[in-house]
Amino acid sequence: IFPIEKRMTMKLARILSLAAAFLLAAGLLAGCSDSPEEGEVSFRSFSSFTLDGSTFTQKDIAAKDATVINFWGTFCSPCIQEMPDLAAFEKSLPDNVQLITICVDAQGNQETAQALLEQAGFEGITLVSGDENFDQIVQTVQAVPTTFFVDSQGLVGQAVVGAQPDLAEMYLDAINQVLKNSGKAEIHLAL
């Protein structure tokens, strides 16, 4: 290859590499296939067990106008860092809205999960295992933290992937959208 052709080939390779890197970064920032789309997850039919051994099903979701479902893992630093904010948010919710968590790696790590929740001050419900439908729901989530906002029928509204800098404001907006779509009144936080 002549020197000028070699430089052009190297320049073209560099441009293609940069373009590929840009597309990869854009896909990651957009969530690519890791970001659940509306309707991909349904909480209409499942049975699960809580960290304290109780049962939790779609009937517990139907009992509330809206449910916030946060998926997290004991291995996930952003999940652990946002847990105190989740705890405070959960305590500020009115009776018609609930926040539950699902610890994706709780089996075999229940003591660690319990300790992290206690340290954060989270007193709400944490799901740790369940039936085949529950397992399918958990397997659908490709990144943690991921939070779903669900109406009383188990229909998923907005999904949020990643920790949120202003969790309370963002989650309140998402809850109120779910309530609005269900014909229910908006809520306000009891801070």
Side-chain angles (χ1 to χ4, degrees), residues 46-107:
F46 72 96
S47 180
S48 62
F49 295 102
T50 65
L51 195 55
D52 67 5
S54 301
T55 301
F56 189 93
T57 69
Q58 72 277 0
K59 291 179 184 176
D60 295 296
I61 288 177
K64 302 291 182 176
D65 291 335
T67 300
V68 180
I69 303 172
N70 176 267
F71 288 78
W72 68 286
T74 62
F75 57 88
C76 171
S77 295
C79 299
I80 295 165
Q81 289 172 352
E82 80 172 359
M83 194 59 68
D85 292 338
L86 281 174
F89 185 76
E90 190 269 335
K91 290 175 185 169
S92 72
L93 292 172
D95 290 339
N96 66 321
V97 178
Q98 65 184 334
L99 184 147
I100 64 169
T101 70
I102 297 177
C103 184
V104 298
D105 67 334
Q107 292 186 349

Side-chain angles (χ1 to χ4, degrees), residues 1-20:
I1 299 179
F2 295 108
I4 209 160
E5 289 177 337
K6 185 176 181 180
R7 279 187 287 174
M8 288 181 69
T9 303
M10 290 176 66
K11 190 173 185 177
L12 180 60
R14 219 178 282 147
I15 289 170
L16 290 174
S17 293
L18 286 172

Side-chain angles (χ1 to χ4, degrees), residues 61-62 64-67 149-157 178-179 181-182:
I61 288 177
K64 302 291 182 176
D65 291 335
T67 300
F149 301 86
V150 181
D151 69 11
S152 61
Q153 302 302 308
L155 298 175
V156 174
V178 167
L179 293 170
N181 292 344
S182 299

Side-chain angles (χ1 to χ4, degrees), residues 100-119:
I100 64 169
T101 70
I102 297 177
C103 184
V104 298
D105 67 334
Q107 292 186 349
N109 289 320
Q110 290 185 353
E111 289 178 12
T112 302
Q114 185 66 45
L116 290 169
L117 291 166
E118 287 175 7
Q119 182 179 2

Side-chain angles (χ1 to χ4, degrees), residues 38 84 157 171 180:
E38 186 172 313
Y171 282 16
K180 179 181 173 185

